[in-house]
Amino acid sequence: MKRLILIILMFLLFLPIGCNNPHEGFKDDDRLKVVTSFYIMYDFTYKIAKDKVQIINLVDSSSDAHDFEFTSKDIILLENADILFYNGLGFEPWIDDIKESLTNKNLKMVNTSEKITPLEGDPHSWLSVINAISQIEVIKDTLIKYDEDNKDFYNENFNSVLNTLNNLHEDYVTTISSFTKKDIVVSHEAFGYLCHEYGLNQIGIYDIYNSDEPDIKRITEIIDFINENKITTIFYEPNINKEKVEFIANQTKTNIEILNPIEGLTKKEIKDNEDYISIMQKNLIALEGALK
Ligand SMILES: [Zn+2]
């Protein structure tokens, strides 16, 4: 009996490691083997490459990308890969360690934000649609460089995405310029690039890295800010503990709504075929509801 309990305990102990990275490695075929660091990189790459390359995402879409720690399974995956697309700007603090752990000298590690003007300390570049276009273009150029045979296919997909994203950007510019209010209160201070691009200000309950729990002083500051500026809505993101957000909303009689930094997808979002574009459209509707 003791032995059985021990086996069950050991099984439970090791279970999360197996579940953390569900990827099963690349198939043995001629297509480029591409690894993406987290959901946004996966979505951007898929929009250009579709099934012309093999794409495996490192951070499981439903996990918190800020808390990712790579495992030996990820190293094995990258030893067999041709390209790793990552966001850069510090979003993947593990990138240098992973580089040191690899013997695969043929792996191209591509920083997709290389052409973006950084906002100090903020890695969430993709929340400006203009930055998203720049990052997708880096992905497209890289794919063409290493897989020239599919150049026309990649260019065609890029032009189609570019058209959609230019329209999305125009929607943001036009809609937000009509808002009378410009301040948003958010759970995780991830919207610096969005605010910078479209003329909003964000106040975060949690910081840029979604790490430290807010103390009483911070919560009091947020409550005062909400009352002084007649804020009607507090934004939070899917997959977080809403306790602090709900506490502040109760104290200030404000609504809570989702504003999604798109660091991953919930199971429901995956089921509903959501992507960067559909979620950014929903984000704009949410902003409109709060600020118009
Ligand atoms: Zn974040």
Side-chain angles (χ1 to χ4, degrees):
M1 189 62 190
K2 262 186 187 166
R3 198 178 142 82
L4 182 66
I5 291 170
L6 192 68
I7 290 168
I8 292 170
L9 273 176
M10 282 182 69
F11 178 73
L12 289 174
L13 196 65
F14 286 105
L15 192 63
I17 299 169
C19 293
N20 200 21
N21 290 309
H23 57 69
E24 285 177 3
F26 290 110
K27 291 192 191 86
D28 189 17
D29 65 28
D30 290 341
R31 294 177 295 163
L32 276 181
K33 297 175 177 69
V34 178
V35 177
T36 53
S37 59
F38 74 110
Y39 172 70
I40 280 290
M41 294 294 102
Y42 178 90
D43 185 40
F44 288 178
T45 305
Y46 185 76
K47 282 179 167 30
I48 301 302
K50 310 283 181 195
D51 296 325
K52 296 288 185 200
V53 304
Q54 295 191 53
I55 315 171
I56 293 180
N57 202 21
L58 221 45
V59 181
D60 171 23
S61 286
S62 56
S63 305
D64 185 343
H66 282 289
D67 290 341
F68 176 70
E69 286 175 20
F70 63 87
T71 65
S72 55
K73 206 173 173 187
D74 300 317
I75 296 293
I76 293 166
L77 182 77
L78 285 161
E79 290 293 1
N80 293 304
D82 300 303
I83 300 172
L84 166 65
F85 287 123
Y86 66 103
N87 189 71
L89 299 167
F91 192 74
E92 299 93 344
W94 41 265
I95 205 86
D96 288 336
D97 288 343
I98 228 169
K99 201 184 249 176
E100 274 177 28
S101 311
L102 288 172
T103 59
N104 180 359
K105 299 289 174 241
N106 297 319
L107 178 71
K108 288 91 185 169
M109 298 178 80
V110 181
N111 176 355
T112 62
S113 64
E114 61 191 10
K115 294 180 180 157
I116 286 169
T117 310
L119 294 180
E120 206 188 328
D122 190 346
H124 307 86
S125 49
W126 61 92
L127 293 167
S128 145
V129 179
I130 295 297
N131 288 348
I133 292 172
S134 166
Q135 295 187 259
I136 293 174
E137 190 164 24
V138 169
I139 291 169
K140 181 260 297 174
D141 289 343
T142 307
L143 291 172
I144 289 176
K145 188 172 171 188
Y146 297 107
D147 184 23
E148 242 200 299
D149 288 353
N150 287 312
K151 183 180 174 179
D152 292 346
F153 182 80
Y154 299 146
N155 273 326
E156 207 174 291
N157 290 336
F158 177 72
N159 289 335
S160 154
V161 173
L162 182 64
N163 189 34
T164 309
L165 289 181
N166 278 332
N167 289 336
L168 180 64
H169 172 68
E170 281 308 314
D171 283 350
Y172 264 80
V173 171
T174 316
T175 309
I176 292 180
S177 66
S178 72
F179 294 166
T180 46
K181 292 181 253 174
K182 301 285 182 188
D183 295 314
I184 53 173
V185 173
V186 296
S187 59
H188 158 210
E189 213 163 65
F191 299 91
Y193 289 90
L194 188 152
C195 289
H196 185 257
E197 190 73 58
Y198 304 109
L200 299 175
N201 310 307
Q202 66 172 345
I203 308 343
I205 300 170
Y206 291 81
D207 66 5
I208 288 178
Y209 301 101
N210 218 10
S211 49
D212 297 339
E213 282 291 320
D215 55 15
I216 283 292
K217 184 170 164 284
R218 184 66 184 153
I219 289 176
T220 311
E221 280 168 7
I222 303 269
I223 289 175
D224 289 346
F225 183 86
I226 289 172
N227 291 332
E228 280 161 24
N229 294 283
K230 302 192 169 47
I231 302 282
T232 59
T233 307
I234 302 174
F235 289 112
Y236 72 102
E237 64 194 88
N239 286 340
I240 64 151
N241 180 352
K242 283 190 291 189
E243 194 188 315
K244 296 276 186 337
V245 173
E246 281 170 340
F247 173 78
I248 296 172
N250 276 332
Q251 295 294 312
T252 53
K253 300 191 169 48
T254 42
N255 306 314
I256 63 169
E257 295 288 344
I258 285 181
L259 192 66
N260 194 335
I262 333 178
E263 289 169 2
L265 292 182
T266 61
K267 289 196 174 74
K268 184 174 186 306
E269 286 165 342
I270 294 169
K271 197 169 146 268
D272 294 346
N273 281 323
E274 301 278 10
D275 69 347
Y276 174 79
I277 295 163
S278 69
I279 295 175
M280 284 299 280
Q281 284 163 341
K282 286 186 177 167
N283 280 346
L284 184 57
I285 293 167
L287 289 169
E288 199 171 9
L291 299 177
K292 203 161 186 179

